[in-house]
Amino acid sequence: MKKLVIALDGPSGSGKSTVAKILSDKYDILYLDTGAMYRATALKALKLDIDTLDEKGVATFIDNIDLEIKYINKTQHTFLDGEDVSLKIREPHVSMAASNISSLKCVRLKMVEMQRKIAGDTACVLDGRDIGSYVLPNAPYKFYITASSTVRANRRVKELIERGFDVEFDKILAEIEQRDYNDKNRDFSPLVCPKDAVIVDTSDMTIEQVIETISSEIEKK
Ligand code: DC
């Protein structure tokens, strides 16, 4: 088997983070959730009252952003200006802000530089939108995890309700479709399915089936 570097890409809500956590435990490798970094950057812009699509405004802070990824009991925690914002970045209003800010080239260059440093030479699983296509193009194991937008919206509604948010299905579906559009249509490093990725459509699969499919691909190489 080659060194385990697993790139998981795909649209919002396709189940990448659940899959990544399980793979990280199963193979005892580092898990880097790259979306958390874009979310924290969006939170910084919101704190500074800078429009998340204003490239000039965002450029004023991006190079010096105090953003750190730490692993506590093997779990990723995201720190912004010294504060653990791991929960705050999951709030629904941060999702759209993250999608917007992630379209800016200055943001992507900074995040990708940090991601390559964190992944370094270690065995790891990364999830995001451009991992196999841009961040780690030489990753030996690439998967594109997807699901229909209705299935993804249903999953997101369930997750948000469990976390105490009051949400409407139609609004969440519209947001997911808008984020898909943003992620696939930005100019720099958009969401694409890497040519050499295995596509896993999770719409009608259980999480166990998804893990089984990915593990057997990994183990046969
Ligand atoms: O995976 P997520 O929903 O936490 O990601 C938040 C946003 O960040 C998402 O709208 C797209 C963006 N993102 C990105 O552009 N590239 C990545 N590698 C990870 C996330």
Side-chain angles (χ1 to χ4, degrees):
M1 212 159 83
K2 300 176 188 166
K3 187 175 90 185
L4 261 190
V5 176
I6 309 171
L8 298 181
D9 290 300
S12 304
S14 55
K16 298 183 298 294
S17 63
T18 308
V19 170
K21 273 184 213 138
I22 296 174
L23 293 176
S24 145
D25 285 343
K26 177 169 179 175
Y27 295 112
D28 195 21
I29 56 176
L30 184 101
Y31 165 37
L32 177 60
D33 164 10
T34 63
M37 300 169 69
Y38 290 94
R39 287 171 176 272
T41 306
L43 196 61
K44 178 72 184 178
L46 294 173
K47 264 168 89 177
L48 294 173
D49 209 15
I50 290 175
D51 186 324
T52 46
L53 285 172
D54 169 11
E55 182 132 36
K56 278 199 181 124
V58 173
T60 61
F61 72 79
I62 193 72
D63 283 335
N64 297 313
I65 191 166
D66 180 3
L67 169 59
E68 266 190 293
I69 300 298
K70 292 186 188 169
Y71 290 87
I72 304 173
N73 296 330
K74 293 195 176 174
T75 302
Q76 173 174 330
H77 286 250
T78 307
F79 285 78
L80 179 69
D81 297 325
E83 181 196 350
D84 187 345
V85 293
S86 307
L87 287 180
K88 231 181 241 179
I89 57 172
R90 300 289 151 201
E91 290 180 16
H93 71 286
V94 182
S95 300
M96 193 53 79
S99 178
N100 287 337
I101 212 159
S102 71
S103 68
L104 305 181
K105 187 172 178 182
C106 66
V107 170
R108 303 203 70 81
L109 290 176
K110 178 72 182 174
M111 295 300 118
V112 171
E113 178 194 317
M114 291 177 68
Q115 288 156 18
R116 288 183 179 150
K117 261 192 206 144
I118 297 169
D121 220 13
T122 43
C124 52
V125 50
L126 275 72
D127 76 345
R129 306 293 187 289
D130 58 345
I131 307 302
S133 57
Y134 187 71
V135 182
L136 302 174
N138 297 324
Y141 306 99
K142 296 183 187 178
F143 298 91
Y144 187 81
I145 316 284
T146 188
S148 73
S149 53
T150 314
V151 166
R152 290 183 286 127
N154 267 319
R155 289 180 189 156
R156 188 69 84 186
V157 166
K158 191 165 165 263
E159 177 198 326
L160 287 169
I161 288 175
E162 276 168 12
R163 285 178 22 221
F165 291 101
D166 186 16
V167 286
E168 284 167 40
F169 175 81
D170 289 350
K171 198 163 165 240
I172 296 292
L173 178 63
E175 273 181 18
I176 285 205
E177 288 177 345
Q178 181 64 52
R179 288 172 64 195
D180 284 357
Y181 182 86
N182 290 355
D183 293 347
K184 290 179 181 168
N185 291 286
R186 63 175 171 246
D187 293 335
F188 186 67
S189 184
L191 165 64
V192 286
C193 175
K195 284 192 299 293
D196 45 352
V198 174
I199 300 173
V200 185
D201 185 332
T202 68
S203 303
D204 298 312
M205 289 170 91
T206 63
I207 187 66
E208 290 79 14
Q209 289 169 325
V210 176
I211 297 297
E212 175 65 36
T213 303
I214 293 180
S215 302
S216 69
E217 285 292 332
I218 291 174
E219 286 155 27
K220 85 178 176 206
K221 270 208 186 180

